[in-house]
């Protein structure tokens, strides 16, 4: 970013034409001299003041006017960036933006924190935002969506990578022996709600000889070869035949489907071991971490890491009979058996909601010499999808819809808008009130978290953030006093950036990303 000119801050700024004295009635080129006469106070006696003499030449005035005209031609963003650069605390403000990693929507806080010795009352450390630019402190927004804040989503993806990898290879309170436990990478998909256009790597979309037409007069096949970026990919061949209520209700019950799936896996494992289901926790424990992803047809499918541990979690070995093949058999049987029935509705009827027929379950390799997927690749794959929102895959939007008219304003395909309208329509029916479909119309009815995990799988996001904060605080060289008492008081002021601050923060975020890329290349060389 080019250096910004630092302009002097005066009450009568030389760039303001209104503050420039007029030069009428004076010979060209002669400097103007002004004297401020003594003013009288209320008592009538003159008050002594210093006489100020200002000398301004026509050349200086013309230069100031030309400069002011150039500034007025700048955009609002550039003018705001110049305003920030004029601030005496601009350097400290840049430090705050760099500390947040160039966060696009930082949180503005005001307050103080004081650490005292509990025995003597001595102040060991004190921080107050009154000395900060604008008397506020900027902290990260921590939004996981890359479409909302790319720097914070990158940090969240890194945390997700370490969270998933720790459950695969150990570390972060998870023992290294966990790598020898049966582990799978499972993909569960949604069922078909109607035929859609698809990409088949240069092949015809849906070739059908004498396919005929549906009841709405649309062809049941598609002989076209769709390119990768074709907007028809994922769109139904006939919107009238597509089962939109079933699609929305499947999304709304996807979390319950997953819960019943994990219970069914435990039940099948207990049956294979000759145990009652109630005795399964005494012999083994099922741990998992899953991430949801929107497909091109705007339906969610699930990627999950499933691991079989001993009764006390990853620190204990699983039963001797446990194996990856046994876990695969249980996963496939559970996916076929579970079903969730939606409440009966006079408008939509009753739906039996199941997983799709496409299921993938592959073991992870325990060592470099065994077959299976690599742990690092799986962790990176899960971390990649955790930063994606509905808007990234054109399967919704990242903000909630407040009215019916908001749906038409969403930049989405007619298929996605039809799903949103179905959410809005079904959300108004009393039998579907517990699903809160109107509140989740922006995500097409899907109400679950993008990433969820079982309690004993690995560490938590909170633990990772606490460890990172402790690492940063280690550089402050605070006194190590076990009996210290910390008193804090913080208040929320707002969030976001001004236009000029947004430009500067984006430049800082880009610089940090470039530095990380160079560091990775040097490290891998």
């Amino acid at each position: 970013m080019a250096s910004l000119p630092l302009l002097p801050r005066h009450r009568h700024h030389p760039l303001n034409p209104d503050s420039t004295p007029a030069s009428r009635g004076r010979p060209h080129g002669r400097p103007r001299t002004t004297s401020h006469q003594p003013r009288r106070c209320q008592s009538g006696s003159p008050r002594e003041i210093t006489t100020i003499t200002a000398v301004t030449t026509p050349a200086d005035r013309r230069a100031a006017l030309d400069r002011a005209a150039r500034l007025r031609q700048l955009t609002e963003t550039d003018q705001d960036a110049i305003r920030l650069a004029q601030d005496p605390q601009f350097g400290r403000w840049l430090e705050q933006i760099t500390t947040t990693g160039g966060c696009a929507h930082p949180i503005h806080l005001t307050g103080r924190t004081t650490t005292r010795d509990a025995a003597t009352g001595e102040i060991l450390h004190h921080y107050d935002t009154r000395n900060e630019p604008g008397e506020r402190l900027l902290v990260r927004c921590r939004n996981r969506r890359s479409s909302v804040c790319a720097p914070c989503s990158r940090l969240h993806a890194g945390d997700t990578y370490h969270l998933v990898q720790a459950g695969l290879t150990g570390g972060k309170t998870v023992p290294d022996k966990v790598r020898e436990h049966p582990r799978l990478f499972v993909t569960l998909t949604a069922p078909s709600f109607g035929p859609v256009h698809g990409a088949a790597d240069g092949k015809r979309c849906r070739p059908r000889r004498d396919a005929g037409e549906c009841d709405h007069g649309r062809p049941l096949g598609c002989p076209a070869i769709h390119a990768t970026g074709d907007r028809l990919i994922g769109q139904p061949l006939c919107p009238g035949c597509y089962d939109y209520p079933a699609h929305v209700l499947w999304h709304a019950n996807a979390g319950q489907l997953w819960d019943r799936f994990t219970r069914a896996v435990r039940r099948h494992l207990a049956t294979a071991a000759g145990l009652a289901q109630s005795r399964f926790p005494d012999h083994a424990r099922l741990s998992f971490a899953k991430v949801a992803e929107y497909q091109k047809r705007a339906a969610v499918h699930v990627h999950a890491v499933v691991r079989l541990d001993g009764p006390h979690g990853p620190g204990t070995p699983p039963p001797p009979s446990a194996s990856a093949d046994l876990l695969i058999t249980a996963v496939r049987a559970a996916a076929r058996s579970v079903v969730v029935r939606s409440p009966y509705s006079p408008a939509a009827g009753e739906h039996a909601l199941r997983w799709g027929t496409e299921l993938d379950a592959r073991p992870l390799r325990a060592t470099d010499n065994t077959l299976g997927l690599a742990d690092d690749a799986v962790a990176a794959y899960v971390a990649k999808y955790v930063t994606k929102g509905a808007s990234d895959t054109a399967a919704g939007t990242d903000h909630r819809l407040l009215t019916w008219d908001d749906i038409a304003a969403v930049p989405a395909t007619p298929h996605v808008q039809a799903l949103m309208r179905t959410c809005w329509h079904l959300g108004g029916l009393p039998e579907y009130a517990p699903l809160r479909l109107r509140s989740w119309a922006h995500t097409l009815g899907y109400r679950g978290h993008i990433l969820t995990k079982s309690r004993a799988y690995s560490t938590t996001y909170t633990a990772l953030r606490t460890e990172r904060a402790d690492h940063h605080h280690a550089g402050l060289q605070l006194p190590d006093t076990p009996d210290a008492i910390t008193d804090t008081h913080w208040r929320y002021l707002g969030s976001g950036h001004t236009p000029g601050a947004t430009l500067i923060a984006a430049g800082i975020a880009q610089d940090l990303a470039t530095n990380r890329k160079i560091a990775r290349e040097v490290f891998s060389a």
Side-chain angles (χ1 to χ4, degrees), residues 444-492:
L444 314 183
Y446 181 72
R447 303 181 298 152
H449 294 286
I450 293 298
L451 182 134
T452 55
K453 72 176 191 65
S454 59
R455 187 182 300 273
Y457 175 78
S458 69
T459 186
T460 63
Y461 283 119
T462 301
L464 292 173
R465 291 164 182 165
T466 302
E467 184 178 352
R468 182 165 53 249
D470 293 341
H471 174 73
H472 290 321
H473 292 164
L476 299 178
Q477 298 180 354
L478 299 178
D480 187 12
T481 306
D483 298 331
I485 299 176
T486 301
D487 178 28
T488 60
H489 176 73
W490 295 100
R491 184 166 58 90
Y492 172 79

Side-chain angles (χ1 to χ4, degrees), residues 360-373:
D360 186 26
R362 287 181 283 178
L364 302 177
R365 62 189 184 207
T367 63
D368 294 337
N369 297 326
T370 57
L371 299 177
L373 298 174

